[in-house]
Amino acid sequence: MKGSAENPLHLKSLNHISLVCRSVEESINFYQKTLGFVPIRRPGSFDFNGALLFGYGFGIHLLQSEDPDNLPKKWKINPKDNHISFQCENMGCVENKLKEMEMEYERAIVEEGGICVEQLFFHDPDGFMIEICNCDNLPVVPLAGEMARSCSRVDMQLLQHQIQQVIQQ
């Protein structure tokens, strides 16, 4: 795709997010056992403690804090705070697993036009918030058009092209 108003930086996808951790080992355990990420090899030129994990089409780069005792700890689950969100196939299974793991979580429901989306929010070991949802139920409707699609079926190139056509009209 050539550079244009719809993709000026020629972006292709999300590559990874980076999270600063109190304990890389504890965070590896959480992301591997709770969310199913797989540890992968880090570049040998990295001269700092950390780990790379991969799953669901993107990576998580865990970075060991240089001062773990002074990292702020978030205790209260706040769905309006920074978080990453994962879609799931079965919210009931996720909630049962969180209960089995004795993890504190908070439920929320989003309703739009008669469609309900369930959300579960919980923290990783460092207080970073994770959301699990069935957001695929909620259609993605561009502000510049009326074509609706589900989250998992959005073709960004087609969507950007259609938006550009509406803008040019």
Side-chain angles (χ1 to χ4, degrees), residues 14-59:
L14 174 66
N15 180 268
H16 73 275
I17 61 170
S18 292
L19 301 172
V20 176
C21 309
R22 283 182 180 75
S23 165
V24 168
E25 292 74 24
E26 187 178 346
S27 292
I28 289 170
N29 187 46
F30 172 84
Y31 283 96
Q32 189 173 9
K33 292 184 178 174
T34 305
L35 296 176
F37 279 79
V38 176
I40 61 173
R41 186 180 319 201
R42 290 175 71 218
S45 63
F46 284 176
D47 62 354
F48 52 93
N49 189 9
L52 275 175
L53 302 137
F54 188 81
Y56 315 105
F58 76 97

Side-chain angles (χ1 to χ4, degrees), residues 30 34-35 74-79 90-109 118-124 128-133:
F30 172 84
T34 305
L35 296 176
K74 295 183 180 178
W75 299 100
K76 185 175 188 241
I77 297 173
N78 177 2
N90 186 312
M91 291 296 291
C93 287
V94 172
E95 189 165 15
N96 288 340
K97 187 67 174 173
L98 292 175
K99 285 178 184 176
E100 179 183 306
M101 297 169 72
E102 299 180 350
M103 291 192 63
E104 182 181 341
Y105 65 91
E106 190 170 305
R107 297 181 99 253
I109 294 180
E118 297 173 84
Q119 302 167 300
L120 297 172
F121 294 90
F122 54 95
H123 288 142
D124 78 355
F128 189 77
M129 188 134 42
I130 310 293
E131 172 191 358
I132 308 291
C133 69

